[in-house]
Amino acid sequence: MTKSMLKVNLYTIIERAVEEGVAYGYMRGYKYSDTPSSETVKENIVRGVMSELSEVINFEDKID
């Protein structure tokens, strides 16, 4: 029996998480206002991106 190696394309996984986070954060920035400040939009985009990244990256692991 031969072993199969699974290769994960980390770039694609992270790219998708960032894209989804940006889209979510952008929409969230406009949730309560039709004219949000640029800071509100930026903050929501950062939160969205970090939330999506935390779904595919475990930030709690320590590197020794």
Side-chain angles (χ1 to χ4, degrees):
M1 183 187 307
T2 61
K3 290 186 178 182
S4 297
M5 296 297 291
L6 176 67
K7 289 182 108 180
V8 176
N9 187 336
L10 292 177
Y11 184 89
T12 300
I13 291 169
I14 293 171
E15 180 182 38
R16 286 182 186 169
V18 169
E19 286 176 352
E20 290 172 13
V22 168
Y24 176 80
Y26 184 81
M27 289 187 305
R28 183 88 177 157
Y30 283 87
K31 184 174 182 176
Y32 298 109
S33 173
D34 290 336
T35 55
S37 70
S38 61
E39 283 303 310
T40 298
V41 174
K42 289 176 191 176
E43 288 172 7
N44 280 284
I45 288 173
V46 169
R47 280 193 204 115
V49 169
M50 293 308 294
S51 176
E52 289 297 321
L53 287 175
S54 69
E55 294 292 323
V56 295
I57 298 171
N58 184 357
F59 290 107
E60 295 178 12
D61 284 347
K62 294 183 181 178
I63 300 173
D64 294 326

